[in-house]
Amino acid sequence: MTPRGWAVLTLAGLTVALLVAVALLVPWHRPPAPRADQLAALRDLPAEQVARARAFRGALRPGGWAALAVGLLVALAVGLTPLGGRLVELVARPFGGHWVAQAVLGGLAVLLVADLLTLPFAAWRQTVLTRYGLSTQGWGGWTADLLKSYAVSAVVGALALLGFYTVVRLAPRWWWAFGAAGAAGLVVLLSFVLPVLVEPVFNRFTPMEQGPLRTELTALAARDGVPVRDVLVADASRRTRAVNAYVSGLGPTRRVVVYDTLLREATPAEVTSVVAHELGHAKDRDVWTGTLTGALGAALGVVVLYLLGSAGLLLRLAGVDSIAEPRAFPLLLALVTVAGLVTAPAQALVSRRVEARADAHALALTGDPATFEAMQRRLAGVNLADPDPPRWEYLYSASHPSTVERMAAARAYARETGR
Ligand SMILES: [Zn+2]
């Protein structure tokens, strides 16, 4: 069998593995709370809070979609015309066109062009966040964060580009197989190292100070049977007024992180409710699920790129001979960008299901639906979340159930358990 035949076979295998993983690991069985309960919850929210949140989301919306559109157009313009290939050549020219310069510097230049052209939208978003009082950051801090994120992307990107094009040179016929394994490995590695290498670039993390709350949270984790080494507090207040918490890392790098803004804004019982949700993610191994499906998706993506990349039409448009040469990186980027936009609703759907399970876990663990609902109100109020966002936007991009869905879930739980 030819490498291409093996690639088709691998594609089929990875597709089945991904579908099985998603079918088994994502909680599909739990239906959302009835719409009538959601509408009742919406009516219970202060009208001015809802109006202000909708005005804020409405102000963000045009720039958000424009940034997506411009990002797509730029990716298509550099990927489906010879422009991108020429940029790669140009950047590598001072180095005699050496393949390493083409692969790393050329690749990073293409990424930078795409980033810079959407930069005005990011800046405009920051003006909206400031206008509504959500951002606590001046332009100096904002620029510093931006430069840090470019630096992190440049390091990760350079390593990935160098690794990928080295494999392509060493195994010209089988690079897709090594590339798929490498992409999957990179996803797993990043899950382990992001919390210890990347997150500290942007925030300072300190163990939650000793006191009744820490004791309560540690006892909660013990009661839940979830080993949590530490509850960390992130100094998010230097950037935002928004409140949040999350769990990240795997094995030895797993941690529950709460924003310092959450500790300032919410009552101890509400913080407990939030941490109970995060413990749900830990208990159900959601980071593992995300890592596994991400790794399978990345491997699948490499094989799809290899197969698509042998389509003569795409290569002719990009003005390259093979998808495997560094000058074809802009074409790869265009295909990845389109794939990201097309699969966004599926990723959001999976995320919402996983988040709803963590909510159910929080309700069962705390047995306190009233505080859970109060916390959802507070989250929506402080973060200026539209409690019941437009359906199309929700379906395309919402990573969490809406505020009214979460409130309705708490009410359904209260009804079922008589609390
Ligand atoms: Zn969550």
Side-chain angles (χ1 to χ4, degrees):
M1 200 155 51
T2 61
R4 201 180 155 75
W6 281 108
V8 172
L9 204 64
T10 308
L11 176 68
L14 285 170
T15 305
V16 170
L18 182 61
L19 291 177
V20 168
V22 167
L24 293 182
L25 297 173
V26 177
W28 296 108
H29 50 279
R30 190 179 297 105
R35 183 68 185 152
D37 284 0
Q38 296 178 30
L39 291 174
L42 183 61
R43 281 193 297 275
D44 288 347
L45 289 168
E48 67 273 23
Q49 177 191 324
V50 177
R52 184 169 151 76
R54 288 194 168 152
F56 171 65
R57 295 294 154 184
L60 284 179
R61 195 167 288 130
W65 290 102
L68 274 191
V70 168
L72 176 63
L73 288 176
V74 171
L76 295 179
V78 296
L80 297 185
T81 71
L83 271 180
R86 273 188 219 137
L87 176 62
V88 170
E89 276 175 2
L90 191 70
V91 173
R93 197 169 291 162
F95 304 90
H98 195 278
W99 73 269
V100 173
Q102 283 201 354
V104 177
L105 299 180
L108 291 181
V110 171
L111 291 171
L112 187 65
V113 165
D115 272 346
L116 289 181
L117 288 172
T118 51
L119 188 59
F121 299 103
W124 184 73
R125 178 186 160 82
Q126 172 64 9
T127 65
V128 176
L129 293 177
T130 306
R131 177 148 45 91
Y132 279 83
L134 207 55
S135 172
T136 54
Q137 214 172 19
W139 287 107
W142 182 82
T143 307
D145 269 2
L146 188 78
L147 293 176
K148 283 184 199 169
S149 76
Y150 281 176
V152 168
S153 306
V155 171
V156 175
L159 290 174
L161 285 163
L162 185 62
F164 177 70
Y165 286 106
T166 301
V167 166
V168 166
R169 286 178 73 83
L170 292 177
R173 278 159 53 85
W174 295 95
W175 62 263
W176 58 270
F178 295 104
L186 187 65
V187 170
V188 176
L189 178 71
L190 286 178
S191 284
F192 276 101
V193 302
L194 281 180
V196 280
L197 287 186
V198 175
E199 288 172 16
V201 173
F202 297 94
N203 279 102
R204 215 183 0 258
F205 297 89
T206 44
M208 181 180 279
E209 59 185 52
Q210 298 294 337
L213 181 58
R214 190 190 164 95
T215 309
E216 159 80 16
L217 296 179
T218 311
L220 187 75
R223 184 148 53 86
D224 203 15
V226 177
V228 169
R229 273 165 202 82
D230 215 346
V231 178
L232 300 176
V233 180
D235 62 342
S237 57
R238 63 201 192 85
R239 185 174 301 123
T240 181
R241 251 184 265 288
V243 299
N244 200 6
Y246 63 89
V247 53
S248 69
L250 288 171
T253 63
R254 184 168 76 194
R255 70 269 317 279
V256 171
V257 176
V258 296
Y259 279 19
D260 57 352
T261 46
L262 179 71
L263 297 181
R264 218 171 286 167
E265 290 280 340
T267 67
E270 288 169 355
V271 175
T272 304
S273 186
V274 170
V275 170
H277 168 103
E278 302 307 329
L279 290 176
H281 285 312
K283 185 148 190 167
D284 288 312
R285 297 194 170 81
D286 290 339
V287 179
W288 273 112
T289 300
T291 303
L292 176 67
T293 51
L296 287 171
L300 191 73
V302 171
V303 181
V304 170
L305 287 176
Y306 165 73
L307 290 171
L308 272 182
S310 38
L313 174 65
L314 291 175
L315 297 180
R316 272 197 303 283
L317 284 173
V320 294
D321 302 320
S322 153
I323 190 78
E325 57 182 281
R327 285 192 316 129
F329 175 69
L331 173 58
L332 287 182
L333 185 69
L335 295 173
V336 168
T337 304
V338 171
L341 292 175
V342 170
T343 58
Q347 295 188 32
L349 173 64
V350 165
S351 173
R352 286 195 302 272
R353 290 298 179 142
V354 168
E355 293 298 338
R357 174 169 63 186
D359 279 351
H361 182 88
L363 287 166
L365 180 61
T366 61
D368 186 357
T371 302
F372 181 93
E373 181 172 336
M375 185 62 225
Q376 294 308 322
R377 287 166 176 258
R378 192 186 297 280
L379 268 175
V382 177
N383 295 351
L384 297 178
D386 184 342
D388 191 29
R391 191 74 187 152
W392 53 275
E393 198 167 71
Y394 173 88
L395 289 176
Y396 187 75
S397 61
S399 62
H400 287 66
S402 67
T403 300
V404 296
E405 277 182 321
R406 302 177 90 173
M407 289 169 69
R411 292 173 183 198
Y413 172 84
R415 260 200 314 269
E416 285 157 22
T417 56
R419 284 180 208 265

